[in-house]
Every structure is written in structure tokens, then in C-alpha cells.
Amino acid sequence: MATTKSSWTFLFRRPFVSMVLDCARRLKAALEWPERSECVVTLSGTERVMGAPDDLSRHIQDNPNREYYHATVTVKGYHDDAPASKVVLKASLVHLELILQFQNLEPSFQASLTSIVENHFPKASSQFSQRPEEKRVRETRELQPGMEIDCYRLLQRLGSGMSGEVWKARVERTPPGVGLRPSESVAMKHYFESPLRGAELIRVHREFLVASKLRHPNLVRVFDLLLSPSRPFHSFLVMEHVEGRTLKAQIPNQGFDVKKVIDIGVQIVWGHRGTAWAKCTTQRYKSGQHHDAPYE
């Protein structure tokens, strides 16, 4: 049979390596019938590694600081009375692009395997629903209160910076794989479209991986990340919403006294200590992001 090939831009919502390894396991299991199959995954980034999905999972756990931006999954199915079948998946976090190739597989089986891949790497273009609010999001060029974007509804604009805008939002539906309940309040950082290319996608992915592991009373928790530059306003980071005034708003005209400065400094130091276990070498503290928090 001839080799067939398809490609698409995928929607990112989970850690990249988890998406790859989970998909590889599913493809291998699908090709094990009726005989046997083998699966090899190649990951490249700060290093290049190759192996079976479970072996790479252990390697990644033992080396948590390694980063991977490109992946190739090769799955072969062996049959006694026919040529070996083959599936090759190539995915890039840099461009959010995926290429899928089949060899010696019936069209109906190709469709089944494509469905498996799409469940892990959903096509960005297929995610548009026909709800009226989704159409309004596509037609407007600015974020507005009341917009429903993915599983969240925008409530109030909180501020903006070089890379995006931050909004207070409400959870409308439980996001896939995220421990948030409907009606909860969150903060959403919507990334501007232009910066999300190449290295910037990698930086955002890295920021999410580190921040989502942190648990400390002086650090804002991070819950969800969705990256889909091809969809309007569908590249965002979801964080804990903290009520209160910013540090800048609390500074009196004459400035803080020494005791207050030391108090704030101690809280920042405790926040830095909270990142140490994750081996995070830098942590940004902007004046508009600091809130008073208790410490021991």
C-alpha cells in the first residue's frame, strides 16, 4: 500500500512531552493486534533522547530540568502474512505543527489511528464551535467583558504588559484535566498574537511547567495553559485570582518606613525559597503583582 500523509496545526493544552508519550502508548496498543508492535520515541531540545515511552518517562523524571521541543514517534506493527505496518508522528512545540504518516495500513484503520492522534493533538481549526459567543470572539479584535473564551468568561480587565493582558474571569465549565470548578474566579493572562512564535512559545511552555508545580502561600498558583495562535484570543495562562490592592497602590507619598520594607522583603524571600525545590533559578516580581501575604 502507498504511504499517506497529513498535517495540521494543533491546539496545545498539556505539557508537550506528556502529550507525545501518551499518544505513543495509544498508537502502540492499537497496532499490537493481531500480532505485535514496537514503538520508539525521539525527543530533542536541550538534549536528544530515544527510547520506548516508559523508558523515556523514567528518564524525564530523573532529569526534570531537561526541555524538549520536537518529537518523533515511530510505531511498527508486525504480521506474519503481510508487510509490517508503520505510523510516524512528528510534532513541534516551536510551531505547534504535526505531521502524521501511514504505511501499509487500510484507510479505515488510518482513520481510527488519526482519531487517536487528534484526541491528544486536537486540530486548532476544528475547535471553533458554532455558538454565537464564539462567533463574536472571532469577529472582534479586542477582548471585552462578557466574552466566553474556551471554558472561561471574562469579567474585568485588570491590566496589561508587553506580552499580553490580564483579566479577571469566571469558570463556566470544568476545563479538561484542570482542577477548577464552575463559578470559580481566576485571573487569565491573554498573550498578544505577535510574540507567540518560535522561542516565545517555548518560553511560555517552560514558564507554565515550572509555575504549575509550585505550592507556596506567597506565590500565585497556575492552573491552565492553552496555546492556539491560529484562534483569536485562545492563547492564555490561567492563574489564581488574588483579591487586594497592588503594592504600588499601597505605597504612601512619603514611602514605607524601614519596618514595612523589611516585612515586604521577607515575604519576597519566602516566595523565592518556595521555588527552590523546583530548581527554578529566576522568579520575576513586578510591583503590580505583589500582595501582602502572611508568613511564618
Side-chain angles (χ1 to χ4, degrees):
M1 299 181 188
T3 299
T4 59
K5 175 180 176 181
S6 60
S7 61
W8 63 81
T9 300
F10 63 87
L11 182 151
F12 173 90
R13 189 159 209 158
R14 297 174 55 203
F16 180 65
V17 174
S18 297
M19 295 169 68
V20 172
L21 297 183
D22 288 350
C23 185
R25 294 186 183 99
R26 290 290 307 278
L27 290 174
K28 182 179 186 300
L31 285 177
E32 281 181 345
W33 183 88
E35 301 294 341
R36 64 185 179 87
S37 65
E38 64 179 27
C39 177
V40 176
V41 180
T42 302
L43 302 172
S44 59
T46 55
E47 69 170 357
R48 187 176 186 272
V49 293
M50 179 185 300
D54 292 342
D55 293 337
L56 291 185
S57 292
R58 289 190 289 269
H59 175 79
I60 292 167
Q61 291 176 357
D62 294 338
N63 300 273
N65 290 331
R66 307 293 169 83
E67 298 177 357
Y68 307 98
Y69 319 129
H70 306 279
T72 299
V73 177
T74 302
V75 186
K76 293 182 180 179
Y78 296 97
H79 317 279
D80 292 336
D81 56 349
S85 55
K86 183 177 180 180
V87 180
V88 178
L89 181 155
K90 297 181 180 180
S92 170
L93 175 62
V94 177
H95 304 292
L96 295 181
E97 292 179 350
L98 180 141
I99 298 175
L100 184 62
Q101 294 177 301
F102 298 108
Q103 185 175 349
N104 297 328
L105 284 167
E106 295 289 344
S108 58
F109 199 19
Q110 292 183 25
S112 176
L113 296 177
T114 299
S115 178
I116 292 175
V117 176
E118 286 186 0
N119 286 335
H120 292 80
F121 297 87
K123 295 180 180 180
S125 59
S126 68
Q127 295 298 310
F128 286 124
S129 73
Q130 297 302 312
R131 299 198 309 270
E133 57 266 31
E134 282 286 316
K135 292 183 179 180
R136 288 197 296 272
V137 169
R138 295 169 62 183
E139 293 168 357
T140 186
R141 294 186 177 183
E142 295 183 358
L143 294 169
Q144 299 175 4
M147 275 187 176
E148 184 175 340
I149 299 178
D150 196 68
C151 299
Y152 309 92
R153 187 175 298 277
L154 302 183
L155 300 178
Q156 178 186 358
R157 185 177 180 273
L158 301 177
S160 64
M162 291 293 293
S163 60
E165 296 183 6
V166 179
W167 283 71
K168 180 180 179 180
R170 182 178 64 242
V171 180
E172 295 292 303
R173 301 177 305 282
T174 300
V178 180
L180 290 172
R181 298 185 300 273
S183 78
E184 284 192 72
S185 294
V186 294
M188 295 180 67
K189 178 180 180 180
H190 287 266
Y191 294 98
F192 295 139
E193 182 178 353
S194 55
L196 283 182
R197 293 292 184 272
E200 187 65 15
L201 277 172
I202 295 173
R203 186 195 65 78
V204 171
H205 177 253
R206 181 190 302 126
E207 183 179 274
F208 171 71
L209 288 180
V210 174
S212 61
K213 298 175 183 177
L214 300 178
R215 298 291 184 273
H216 193 278
N218 289 18
L219 295 175
V220 171
R221 292 187 61 184
V222 173
F223 301 115
D224 192 13
L225 173 68
L226 189 147
L227 296 176
S228 181
S230 63
R231 300 178 66 191
F233 310 129
H234 277 71
S235 293
F236 55 78
L237 182 71
V238 178
M239 304 166 283
E240 176 185 7
H241 179 254
V242 181
E243 294 285 354
R245 295 187 301 159
T246 66
L247 175 61
K248 183 177 181 180
Q250 298 181 63
I251 300 176
N253 294 333
Q254 68 275 18
F256 287 132
D257 58 30
V258 175
K259 183 179 179 180
K260 184 65 173 179
V261 171
I262 294 175
D263 177 69
I264 294 173
V266 169
Q267 294 186 56
I268 294 176
V269 169
W270 277 101
H272 272 287
R273 291 188 62 180
T275 67
W277 71 272
K279 298 182 180 180
C280 178
T281 58
T282 60
Q283 179 74 16
R284 296 178 302 167
Y285 284 87
K286 298 180 181 179
S287 61
Q289 294 176 329
H290 174 88
H291 297 271
D292 284 338
Y295 62 92
E296 297 179 1

